[in-house]
């Protein structure tokens, strides 16, 4: 191969390619764009977090308010994740394996939370559970607090993360078809056995992938929880809200320290995403390939 | 166990997949449902298995009505076109599946399961692959695993949906013979769906030819091949040459040949169509009293057990003839020669009525 | 009764349909549909005149202009640069490509508040980028431009991830055929490749737009939030809520919701359009 310092190589065999200067230009543009929008912010988070040194960093993270914010964030995710996983599996099962009227409507509807602004996602719960809301008087009568309390935060998070697992599982289960499940039934399996032994193992990577995304979104949600939270320090602040509070108080290093925690979570999510994406594509492709080309034909 | 299908119809949306189909499959016989795609054969198979429910009609197993039975309770073995092996289980686990999901009361113990799976894998000659995963197997191997898995639950009926469709020709031919031998050994009632007429004729005890959701003919391979009941059956089961002639009174006239046709139409179209298989045509170098027509040889393909000859008639039609090697040598045929076609057997199918097969009789 | 008969006749072979669909509808109804209905109902209860007054107030109009305008601008930027990024990722080889590819998803994974403060620290007059830019007379933070920057960040992955698979599936033979017929490289790109990629570009634009339209967390730090100048609609909604003007908040929110629905429908149509153009394997 060539020994010249090459920064970009066109895939071998591709006779039709852009001339060198154009390729360099495109690479440069892409590089600057991504560097500006992706790399710099990342660097900024960690740079600012450590601007006052390691001690200040740890102090910010072990501050009691920070700790309770961590607890609340983890608690929210721990509640939201299993609920949305069950929803995702149920929705994907109904949509991917059966035909029924209104299926495409349901598919479109499931995407709704994605299209709605986070602030509106929080507002709607205020309208239902808030003091002036539909259930406001009843809740007040029983002394149940939803808005400005943890249940409200959980609900708002449930709303924004609800489609994630379903959207991941639906195409996966569609591409896997119904034959394996039918085969299990013909062989005498009951419904539960079929689901546990055949369906679940086939979707496990997609499920994990959806769960990882759901978790990242649940822990990182800001707009929706901001509206329902009430921002009560030590009680109804998630990590993202805590970041906001610190920032608005000009405790920049502290804000960035907490932000760095969330950034690390994001980076771990990205890694998990890459690993699982490969697995899921593998499972989907193996399903489509069916009885295709395979190792040597031995009689 | 015998299967009786009575008056089964099935529509998908606006598509009529099955139209009042009735069929009897005797215990121990292997029946092939043969037809083009869209003929309803797979739908019928799935209805027998319980994987689809008919819009009307019944299915009886050994005299008992099974139409309302769920698929799990029918004790049928089903081999899917794309095998549907459980991709995350080994070959052994796949075959053992049906035994492992049985309710505790009737479930065999671990050793018994192992014994049975072992025996089945030996039956399909794959015991050495027990620990492999389906992705590591070839198509033919996967198919045999699917078969072993279906047999593991000792089904009363074995249903196969285009089992060899996705395999290449050589493997297909081997597996076909193997399946026939297996059936002779275990004598389970079997229904096989295929679009390959060669496969149906080679493997089945009886062939059910289907088209557009209806049964065109049921019979032994010899019956459907040599005595087709309709035009469709004749076309589907092998090459066919179509000749045009005329109805004159109670006869059909093709070239120099006259046939007695007692059921000839009296009015309407006077055009008659005669069907002849390539091997029922003979060639000669000189015209004769029973010559059907004259043509020029386009291609002579002597590679194979029979010699395949392509002729172009004066009217521009292409005619396929199959001759034995000796006949070819005797005639010394080459492309470009003029030759005269003489049929040994012409079949006519007046629309809707029974077919008429007539020995060619020379005119006057 | 007729429904029951219909369901009985079409007995389904695979189990669990009723249970799965029932749970799905119940859950989704309770968590998503009913709360959204509460918004629609509440906004319908606002007297028409008041509704119009709220929505057409100068402050609200300025906020709408900013929210929609910046979202459009950001989506447009993302279409251009996102297409380039997708091209480079699919066609070229360079070191750390896997890393870069993974990084493109960062705006998906990073909490919006973190993105907000990070971008602000970069583009503030004292920031790494803000200082040189201010010297050039281009202030970014606390201006509409800052809003555009933030919205570009959040929308970045949408165009890239929509265009990438289309580029990957492109048949090399198309370009080879064009070249063999004498087309120059840019002609091939313009006449052969661009039409293939157009549905994906449109879908990506719509997705980025939808995301940017309602964005809150990453914008409120960098925007400066000055009423009539750098205030976005979601913030205005929050402010009205804090002032206990629930009617006003609901009015604004329902307008945004309507825009979101429209976008969602458009995205659906676009996705159907692109699916018709490229038959997926296995169909």
């Amino acid at each position: 191969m060539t020994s010249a310092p090459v920064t970009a190589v066109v895939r071998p065999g591709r006779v039709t390619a852009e001339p060198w200067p154009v390729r360099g230009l495109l690479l440069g543009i892409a590089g600057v764009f991504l560097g500006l929008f992706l790399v710099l912010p990342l660097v900024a988070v960690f740079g600012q977090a450590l601007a006052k040194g390691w001690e200040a960093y740890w102090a910010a993270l072990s501050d009691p308010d920070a700790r309770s914010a961590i607890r609340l964030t983890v608690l929210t995710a721990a509640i939201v994740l299993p609920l949305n996983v069950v929803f995702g599996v149920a929705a994907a099962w109904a949509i991917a394996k059966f035909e029924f009227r209104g299926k495409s409507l349901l598919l479109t509807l499931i995407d709704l939370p994605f299209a709605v602004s986070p602030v509106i996602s929080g507002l709607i719960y205020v309208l239902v559970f808030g003091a002036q809301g539909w259930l406001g008087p009843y809740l007040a009568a029983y002394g149940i607090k939803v808005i400005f309390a943890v249940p409200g935060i959980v609900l708002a998070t449930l709303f924004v993360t609800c489609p994630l697992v379903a959207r991941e599982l639906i195409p996966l289960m569609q591409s896997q078809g119904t034959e394996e499940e039918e085969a299990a039934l013909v062989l005498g399996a009951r419904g539960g056995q079929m689901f546990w032994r055949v369906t679940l193992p086939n979707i496990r990577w997609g499920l994990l992938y959806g769960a990882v995304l759901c978790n990242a979104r649940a822990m990182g949600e800001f707009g929706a929880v901001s509206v329902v939270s009430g921002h009560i320090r030590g009680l109804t602040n998630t990590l993202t809200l805590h970041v906001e509070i610190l920032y608005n108080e000009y405790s920049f290093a502290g804000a960035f320290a907490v932000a760095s925690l969330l950034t690390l979570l994001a980076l771990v999510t990205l890694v998990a995403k890459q690993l699982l994406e490969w697995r899921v594509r593998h499972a989907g492709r193996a399903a489509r390939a069916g009885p295709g080309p395979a190792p040597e034909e031995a009689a | 166990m015998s299967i009786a299908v009575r008056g089964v119809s099935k529509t998908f949306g606006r598509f009529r997949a099955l139209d009042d189909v009735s069929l009897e499959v005797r215990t121990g016989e292997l029946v092939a449902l043969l037809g083009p795609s869209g003929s309803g054969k797979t739908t019928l198979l799935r209805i027998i298995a319980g994987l689809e429910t008919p819009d009307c009609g019944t299915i009886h197993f050994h005299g008992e009505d099974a139409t309302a039975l769920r698929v799990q309770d029918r004790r049928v073995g089903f081999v899917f076109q794309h095998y549907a092996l459980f991709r995350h289980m080994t070959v052994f686990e796949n075959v053992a599946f049906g035994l492992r999901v049985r309710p505790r009361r009737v479930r065999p113990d671990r050793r018994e399961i192992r014994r049975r799976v072992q025996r089945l894998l030996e039956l399909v000659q794959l015991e050495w692959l027990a620990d492999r995963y389906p992705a590591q197997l070839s198509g033919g191997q996967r198919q045999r695993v699917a078969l072993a898995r279906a047999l593991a639950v000792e089904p009363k009926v074995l249903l196969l949906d285009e089992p060899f469709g996705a395999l290449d020709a050589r493997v297909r031919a081997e597996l076909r013979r193997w399946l026939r031998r297996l059936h002779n050994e275990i004598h389970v009632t079997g229904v096989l769906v295929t679009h390959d007429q060669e496969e149906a004729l080679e493997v089945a005890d009886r062939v059910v030819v289907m088209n557009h959701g209806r049964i065109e003919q049921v019979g032994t391979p010899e019956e459907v091949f040599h005595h087709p009941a309709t035009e469709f059956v004749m076309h589907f089961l092998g090459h066919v040459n179509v000749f045009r002639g005329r109805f004159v009174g109670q006869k059909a006239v093709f070239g120099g040949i006259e046939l007695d046709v007692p059921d000839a139409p009296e009015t309407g179209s006077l055009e008659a169509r005669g069907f002849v298989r390539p091997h029922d045509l003979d060639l000669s170098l000189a015209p004769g009293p029973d010559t059907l027509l004259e043509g020029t040889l386009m291609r002579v393909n002597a590679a194979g057990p029979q010699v395949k000859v392509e002729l172009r008639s004066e009217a521009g039609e292409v005619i396929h003839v199959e001759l034995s090697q000796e006949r070819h040598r005797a005639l010394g045929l080459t492309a470009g020669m003029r030759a005269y076609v003489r049929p040994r057997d012409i079949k006519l199918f007046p629309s809707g009525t029974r077919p008429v097969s007539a020995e060619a009789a020379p005119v006057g | 009764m007729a429904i029951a008969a219909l369901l009985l006749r079409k007995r389904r072979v695979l189990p669990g349909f009723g249970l799965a669909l029932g749970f799905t509808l119940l859950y989704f109804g309770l968590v998503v549909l009913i709360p959204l209905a509460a918004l629609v109902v509440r906004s319908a209860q606002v007297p028409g005149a008041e509704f119009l007054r709220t929505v057409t107030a100068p402050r609200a109009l300025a906020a709408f202009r900013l929210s929609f305008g910046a979202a459009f601008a950001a989506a447009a930027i993302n279409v251009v640069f996102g297409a380039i990024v997708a091209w480079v990722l699919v066609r070229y080889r360079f070191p750390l490509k896997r890393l870069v590819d993974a990084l493109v998803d960062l705006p998906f994974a990073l909490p919006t508040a973190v993105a907000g403060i990070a971008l602000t620290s970069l583009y503030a007059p004292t920031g790494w980028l803000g200082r040189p830019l201010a010297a050039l007379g281009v202030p970014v933070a606390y201006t509409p431009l800052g809003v555009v920057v933030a919205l570009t960040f959040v929308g970045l992955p949408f165009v890239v991830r929509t265009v990438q698979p289309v580029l990957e599936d492109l048949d090399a033979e198309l370009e080879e055929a064009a070249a063999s017929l004498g087309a120059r490289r840019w002609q091939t790109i313009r006449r052969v490749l661009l039409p293939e990629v157009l549905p994906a570009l449109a879908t990506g634009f719509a997705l980025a737009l939808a995301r940017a339209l309602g964005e809150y967390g990453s914008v409120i730090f960098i925007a400066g939030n000055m009423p009539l100048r750098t205030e976005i609609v979601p913030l205005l909604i929050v402010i009205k809520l804090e002032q206990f003007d629930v009617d006003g908040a609901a009015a604004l929110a329902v307008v945004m919701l309507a825009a979101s629905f429209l976008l969602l429908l458009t995205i659906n149509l676009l996705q159907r359009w692109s699916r018709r153009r490229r038959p997926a394997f296995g169909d």
Side-chain angles (χ1 to χ4, degrees), chain A residues 16 20 35 47 77 101 130 137 139 144 163 166 184 211 223 225 230 241-242 244 257 268 278:
Chain A
T16 57
W20 272 100
R101 293 255 296 272
L139 294 173
I144 303 175
V225 300
L241 294 176
H242 193 57
E244 184 193 24
V268 168
W278 180 82

Side-chain angles (χ1 to χ4, degrees), chain A residues 18 23 84 99 117 125 273, chain C residues 27 31 92 105 185 214:
Chain A
E18 300 76 61
R23 255 183 279 158
N84 278 334
E99 293 296 320
S117 165
Y125 286 100
K273 206 170 180 270
Chain C
Y27 186 94
V31 173
Y92 298 166
D105 282 332
R185 187 66 186 144

Side-chain angles (χ1 to χ4, degrees), chain A residues 1 6-19 22-23 26-27 29-30 33-34 36-45 47-48 80 83-84 86-87 90-94 97-100 106 108-120 123-128 132 134 155 158-159 162 178 181-182 185 190-191 194 209 216-217 219-223 226-227 231 240 243-244 247-248 255-256 259 262-263 266-267 269-270 273-274 277 281 285 288, chain C residues 10 12-17 20-21 23-25 27-28 30-39 41-42 45 77-78 81-82 84-85 87-88 90-95 98 100-114 117-123 128-129 142 148-149 152-153 156 161 168 170 172 175-176 179 185 189 210-211 213-218 220-221 234-235 237-238 241-242 244 246 249-250 252-254 256-257 260-261 264-265 268 271 281-282:
Chain A
M1 293 301 268
V6 158
T7 48
V9 171
V10 169
R11 253 181 282 157
R14 189 169 280 277
V15 172
T16 57
E18 300 76 61
V22 175
R23 255 183 279 158
L26 288 179
L27 269 172
I29 293 177
F33 183 71
L34 292 180
L36 207 58
F37 280 95
L38 295 181
V39 178
L40 272 185
L42 269 182
V43 174
V45 169
Q48 295 274 3
V80 164
L83 283 174
N84 278 334
V86 171
F87 169 72
W93 179 254
K97 309 279 183 179
F98 300 95
E99 293 296 320
F100 55 93
L106 185 59
T108 311
L109 283 180
I110 288 190
D111 277 345
L112 260 182
F114 278 173
V116 174
S117 165
V119 164
I120 298 182
L123 172 65
I124 55 181
Y125 286 100
V126 173
L127 289 177
V128 176
Q132 289 185 33
W134 284 351
L155 278 172
L158 216 55
F159 180 94
C162 130
T178 54
E181 278 89 1
E182 283 177 354
L185 286 180
R190 307 286 126 188
M194 174 206 71
Y209 184 80
R217 187 72 204 272
M219 292 192 170
E221 179 52 37
F222 177 68
S226 176
V227 171
H231 304 266
T240 51
V243 168
E244 184 193 24
Y247 189 85
N248 286 339
F256 278 100
L262 289 167
T263 311
L267 290 174
T269 305
L270 284 184
K273 206 170 180 270
Q274 280 287 304
E277 217 159 38
R281 242 181 308 161
R285 208 180 298 132
R288 276 196 296 272
Chain C
K10 274 182 56 170
R12 297 178 197 271
V13 173
L14 290 185
F17 175 67
L21 188 64
F23 176 77
T24 300
L25 291 176
Y27 186 94
F28 198 73
L30 285 178
V31 173
V32 176
L33 293 178
I34 292 185
L36 281 175
L39 172 59
V41 167
R42 184 53 192 266
Q45 288 171 339
I77 294 175
N78 271 321
F81 289 92
I84 296 179
V85 170
W87 179 265
V88 160
V90 173
R91 292 297 176 100
Y92 298 166
R93 277 216 293 250
F94 49 88
R98 288 280 301 270
V100 173
D101 193 27
L103 214 55
V104 167
D105 282 332
L106 185 66
F108 276 152
L110 195 67
T112 52
V114 174
I117 62 174
L119 287 170
T120 312
S121 78
L122 278 176
Y123 289 97
W128 295 347
L129 291 174
Y142 317 126
V148 174
V149 166
T152 307
F153 174 86
L156 196 154
R161 291 311 191 209
E168 279 169 359
L170 275 185
E175 294 166 68
E176 289 168 356
R185 187 66 186 144
I189 292 184
R211 180 83 170 85
L213 208 49
E215 180 55 28
Y216 178 72
S218 51
I220 56 168
F221 296 97
L235 180 58
I237 295 178
V238 171
L241 263 185
E242 285 171 354
F244 301 106
V246 182
L252 290 175
V254 93
M256 292 295 274
L257 194 63
S260 300
F261 277 11
L264 192 61
L265 279 169
N268 239 289
Q271 278 172 335
F281 47 179

